[in-house]
């Protein structure tokens, strides 16, 4: 499903170029559960953004669902993201002036789903993550764990094949963090490809495949397994 071939990402700001990713080779099959760990600055977010088509390689090739996406333009990448990839972040990235319902509805609107079917779908998803009583709340009226559940709902509303999470529990207390991981693992058990970047070894070791990064490189030994 995901094939990174000799991917390098260089950031050219200031005097010295920063090699955030160095010659990464990584294959990920549909339905895998992967954690990405490593110290701060080791390139975890850059790798996840690359996998999620939010960034482009400086060098190397990327095949997503057997399509070479290295050379696609922004619109084409956005279309693939909207249909096939869900993202969640440490700080939720919800739109503050919209309700939970409206935040989750957004990707359906962008995808052209008509209004009447949007409402049913959004209600069902918010209910499935335990937010049936919070649908009309705005993000600042919700707890951190509730905000992340809205973010998960938004990420999966278009039924993506992959769900990418960048430190999804990094801003939560441990109980809310556990609940979020259980929701993500439920989605994995239903077939979604799950990739979690985390600092927390307890969370990292739950994944079926653990990838460790250091200085822009993957250092765990089995990363090229198919
Ligand atoms: N947009 C950017 N511009 C310049 N440098 C960046 C940018 N994003 C990341 N970097 C640099 O790339 C390296 C890896 O960053 P990142 O992937 O965010 O690490 P991690 O998520 O593991 O903490 C760091 O040295 C960081 O400063
Ligand atoms: Mg990061």
């Amino acid at each position: 499903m995901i094939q990174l071939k000799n991917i390098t990402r260089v950031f050219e700001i200031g005097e010295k170029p920063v090699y955030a990713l160095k010659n990464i080779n990584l294959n990920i099959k549909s339905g895998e559960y992967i954690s990405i760990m490593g110290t701060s600055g080791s390139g975890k977010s850059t790798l996840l953004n690359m996998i999620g088509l939010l960034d482009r390689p400086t060098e190397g090739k990327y095949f997503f669902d057997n399509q070479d996406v290295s050379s696609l333009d922004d619109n084409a990448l956005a279309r693939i993201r909207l249909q096939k990839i869900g993202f969640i972040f440490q700080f939720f990235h919800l739109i503050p002036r919209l309700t939970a319902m409206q935040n989750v509805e957004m990707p359906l609107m962008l995808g052209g789903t008509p209004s009447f079917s949007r409402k049913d779908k959004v209600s069902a998803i918010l209910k499935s993550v335990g937010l049936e009583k919070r649908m009309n709340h705005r993000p600042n009226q919700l707890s951190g764990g509730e905000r992340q559940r809205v973010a998960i709902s938004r990420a999966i509303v278009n039924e993506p094949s992959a769900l990418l999470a960048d430190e999804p529990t990094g801003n939560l207390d441990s109980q809310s963090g556990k609940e979020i991981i259980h929701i993500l693992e439920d989605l994995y058990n239903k077939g979604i490809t799950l990739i979690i970047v985390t600092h927390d070894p307890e969370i990292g070791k739950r994944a079926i495949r653990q990838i460790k990064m250091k200085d822009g490189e993957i250092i765990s030994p089995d990363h090229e397994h198919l």
Side-chain angles (χ1 to χ4, degrees), residues 38-46 48-49 90 166-167 197 199:
T39 53
S40 187
S42 57
K44 304 182 297 297
S45 294
T46 307
L48 200 70
N49 291 344
Q90 179 174 3
D166 195 349
E167 313 255 12
V197 165
H199 265 110

Side-chain angles (χ1 to χ4, degrees), residues 149-173:
R149 284 186 268 157
V150 175
I152 293 171
S153 302
R154 179 181 59 180
I156 61 170
V157 73
N158 273 331
E159 297 170 30
S161 45
L163 181 54
L164 313 186
D166 195 349
E167 313 255 12
T169 63
N171 200 37
L172 302 179
D173 63 86

Side-chain angles (χ1 to χ4, degrees), residues 48-195:
L48 200 70
N49 291 344
M50 194 65 69
I51 291 170
L53 303 174
L54 289 171
D55 194 9
R56 291 167 199 282
T58 309
E59 278 177 55
K61 283 247 179 250
Y62 181 9
F63 295 86
F64 185 91
D65 282 348
N66 297 316
Q67 182 184 16
D68 182 356
V69 289
S70 335
S71 53
L72 294 181
D73 67 20
D74 288 351
N75 284 332
L77 293 178
R79 216 171 305 125
I80 297 175
R81 281 202 308 272
L82 183 65
Q83 292 165 355
K84 299 188 177 181
I85 302 170
F87 247 106
I88 63 173
F89 303 93
Q90 179 174 3
F91 295 105
F92 322 122
H93 292 201
L94 298 172
I95 300 174
R97 65 188 165 74
L98 300 184
T99 64
M101 182 110 191
Q102 291 166 331
N103 267 283
V104 179
E105 209 179 346
M106 191 59 77
L108 291 174
M109 291 175 76
L110 294 171
T113 306
S115 172
F116 64 92
S117 46
R118 290 201 302 261
K119 305 282 180 210
D120 286 350
K121 191 156 192 191
V122 170
S123 309
I125 289 185
L126 283 169
K127 200 172 172 192
S128 76
V129 297
L131 290 180
E132 62 271 34
K133 299 216 173 82
R134 298 283 185 276
M135 298 208 259
N136 295 313
H137 288 53
R138 282 191 294 277
N140 67 4
Q141 300 168 316
L142 297 169
S143 72
E146 289 170 340
R147 290 181 206 191
Q148 197 61 297
R149 284 186 268 157
V150 175
I152 293 171
S153 302
R154 179 181 59 180
I156 61 170
V157 73
N158 273 331
E159 297 170 30
S161 45
L163 181 54
L164 313 186
D166 195 349
E167 313 255 12
T169 63
N171 200 37
L172 302 179
D173 63 86
S174 65
Q175 183 53 36
S176 309
K178 271 192 201 127
E179 289 166 15
I180 292 302
I181 293 299
H182 285 140
I183 293 172
L184 298 179
E185 290 182 351
D186 273 349
L187 294 165
Y188 159 69
N189 286 324
K190 289 179 188 145
I192 211 163
T193 307
L194 179 60
I195 309 176

